[in-house]
Amino acid sequence: KAWNVLALDGSNWQRIDLFDFQRDIEGRVVENISKRCGGFLRKLSLRGCQGVGDNALRTFAQNCRNIEVLNLNGCTKITDATCTSLSKFCSKLRHLDLASCTSITNLSLKALSEGCPLLEQLNISWCDQVTKDGIQALVRGCGGLKALFLKGCTQLEDEALKYIGAHCPELVTLNLQTCLQITDDGLITICRGCHKLQSLCASGCCNITDAILNALGQNCPRLRILEVARCSQLTDVGFTTLARNCHELEKMDLEECVQITDSTLIQLSIHCPRLQVLSLSHCELITDDGIRHLGNGACAHDRLEVIELDNCPLITDASLEHLKSCHSLERIELYDCQQITRAGIKRLRTHLPNIKVHAYFAPVTPPPSVGGSRQRFCRCCIIL
């Protein structure tokens, strides 16, 4: 009986994560939880609970007015009505995840702006009905935003970023992946207005140029994470400015930045001693010489953990020799690096026995012909 009393005591239920039960969670479950926990509940995750809708969350908002962290990622039934309820009853809300809630519109952002002034982190990735008007309304009431995830918000233009740059000086994290309409103008405004920026994802924003890297270098010295995959207009010139000014860089995704050469790696090796993760996949101008500089750089011995070199055709076993001194290296990707051999990988593993190496190798001899015609065959993937 004592255990039963404790189990039903709402004060013991301040944090609840229902992700593992998402298929079984319906609205009435959320309503019952909210009535039981009441004002004690601070953190709730309903990620993936597609059976939960606006009515249940209205009851939740009315009962759990001290909620600070709410994850509704993938709750596809909810609409603007849920944000209206949160705005009305949950003024202490700090973190809200609405990713993939595709019915969310500008009305939700306006409601949050009016009723949730303490909001610090908002994820509206893939809410593709949101436009600059919604962003404008949001930032005017939530100027303390520190993290904003806008991945896949395809209607956003530079004007939206100008509002963010003007009203969110505390911004630390910004994700704009696949926001295809974004250009230099909008991102430069972010750099000039958000000097505390530490993480920027602009992967797939194919219109940006070196002007962004220059602006980051001049305005955002605390930058730790930069993801600019598939931004093919970026060059060594921009990355040189970035490396010389942003010495705290830890993670860089430069996949398909096809214009960069060993010059970028030289600058990173000299100026970025904290680099831990570096993706250079499909950077086809990178050679062994660039990897040599990286392997001799300040980050090599104690920091570098992951390096991705998929589809870098000029990379040979010599690069693996240059990486032997990277004692923290945990993983290296070498898919379709045709000049890498099994012998080279084996030699690397004698120095780094715990490293995971992902690579493709073609069969040594072609397969036998059957019925007069040669069989088609695939390379095999190995994980060593």
Side-chain angles (χ1 to χ4, degrees):
K1 290 181 180 179
W3 278 110
N4 185 56
V5 170
L6 289 172
L8 297 178
D9 186 344
S11 64
N12 290 320
W13 296 88
Q14 296 183 33
R15 297 175 179 84
I16 300 176
D17 187 344
L18 298 176
F19 177 71
D20 291 336
F21 309 97
Q22 56 180 294
R23 293 184 180 178
D24 303 318
I25 299 301
E26 297 177 354
R28 58 182 179 80
V29 176
V30 175
E31 293 176 8
N32 290 337
I33 287 174
S34 70
K35 292 174 183 177
R36 176 67 63 183
C37 298
F40 293 110
L41 191 62
R42 297 291 189 276
K43 181 178 179 180
L44 174 65
S45 176
L46 297 173
R47 181 165 62 103
C49 297
Q50 297 184 16
V52 177
D54 293 326
N55 291 335
L57 285 165
R58 178 176 176 81
T59 301
F60 164 80
Q62 290 173 328
N63 288 296
C64 301
R65 302 191 182 203
N66 292 320
I67 192 74
E68 296 176 3
V69 179
L70 181 59
N71 188 338
L72 301 175
N73 189 323
C75 296
T76 52
K77 281 188 177 180
I78 70 170
T79 70
D80 293 328
T82 285
C83 289
T84 300
S85 299
L86 294 174
S87 172
K88 187 174 181 179
F89 301 110
C90 303
S91 61
K92 296 182 181 180
L93 192 63
R94 294 181 181 274
H95 293 189
L96 178 61
D97 191 337
L98 297 169
S100 300
C101 298
T102 52
S103 296
I104 294 299
T105 73
N106 293 337
L107 294 176
S108 285
L109 303 191
K110 184 176 184 296
L112 293 172
S113 174
E114 294 171 349
C116 303
L118 302 181
L119 200 63
E120 296 179 355
Q121 179 172 310
L122 178 64
N123 188 345
I124 51 171
S125 296
W126 309 113
C127 297
D128 55 7
Q129 296 189 60
V130 171
T131 70
K132 61 181 177 61
D133 295 333
I135 299 298
Q136 180 183 24
L138 174 72
V139 298
R140 285 183 172 173
C142 302
L145 279 169
K146 295 181 179 179
L148 192 53
F149 299 88
L150 305 172
K151 179 179 179 181
C153 293
T154 53
Q155 293 197 58
L156 294 186
E157 304 167 336
D158 290 333
E159 196 71 22
L161 301 193
K162 293 179 181 179
Y163 295 134
I164 296 171
H167 295 279
C168 300
E170 301 299 315
L171 197 67
V172 173
T173 300
L174 179 62
N175 189 319
L176 298 167
Q177 183 174 337
T178 64
C179 293
L180 303 178
Q181 299 187 61
I182 298 302
T183 72
D184 292 343
D185 289 343
L187 272 174
I188 288 174
T189 306
I190 292 289
C191 296
R192 290 175 177 171
C194 306
H195 298 292
K196 296 182 181 181
L197 196 66
Q198 294 183 23
S199 176
L200 174 64
C201 177
S203 294
C205 298
C206 53
N207 294 317
I208 65 174
T209 71
D210 283 344
I212 298 306
L213 302 180
N214 294 332
L216 286 168
Q218 293 167 9
N219 297 281
C220 304
R222 301 182 189 180
L223 193 68
R224 295 187 301 108
I225 299 172
L226 179 64
E227 300 177 16
V228 285
R230 303 181 301 284
C231 297
S232 58
Q233 297 189 60
L234 303 181
T235 74
D236 292 330
V237 176
F239 284 112
T240 295
T241 300
L242 182 76
R244 289 178 177 177
N245 292 278
C246 297
H247 306 304
E248 298 184 17
L249 280 166
E250 297 176 0
K251 177 183 177 181
M252 298 185 72
D253 185 354
L254 311 183
E255 182 175 347
E256 292 187 41
C257 292
V258 294
Q259 295 194 55
I260 66 171
T261 70
D262 294 336
S263 177
T264 289
L265 298 192
I266 293 172
Q267 296 300 321
L268 293 177
S269 68
I270 296 172
H271 300 291
C272 300
R274 299 186 180 186
L275 199 61
Q276 297 176 15
V277 179
L278 179 61
S279 177
L280 299 166
S281 298
H282 296 272
C283 297
E284 298 185 357
L285 302 180
I286 298 297
T287 74
D288 294 331
D289 191 53
I291 302 301
R292 176 175 64 83
H293 281 90
L294 193 65
N296 293 329
C299 67
H301 297 286
D302 301 317
R303 294 281 186 169
L304 194 63
E305 298 176 357
V306 177
I307 184 167
E308 299 177 357
L309 297 168
D310 304 334
N311 293 92
C312 293
L314 303 180
I315 295 297
T316 73
D317 286 348
S319 284
L320 304 187
E321 295 292 324
H322 300 320
L323 294 173
K324 285 181 178 179
S325 60
C326 299
H327 302 299
S328 297
L329 200 61
E330 299 175 356
R331 177 168 59 87
I332 183 169
E333 303 279 347
L334 297 165
Y335 294 122
D336 277 333
C337 292
Q338 312 238 347
Q339 300 191 65
I340 296 293
T341 68
R342 292 177 184 270
I345 293 175
K346 186 176 181 180
R347 287 193 296 271
L348 176 66
R349 294 204 67 204
T350 61
H351 294 267
L352 304 172
N354 296 321
I355 193 173
K356 292 183 179 179
V357 183
H358 298 186
Y360 281 132
F361 288 100
V364 176
T365 56
S369 59
V370 177
S373 62
R374 187 176 297 276
Q375 286 182 302
R376 298 178 65 184
F377 66 96
C378 299
R379 294 178 180 174
C380 56
C381 169
I382 66 165
I383 301 177
L384 297 176

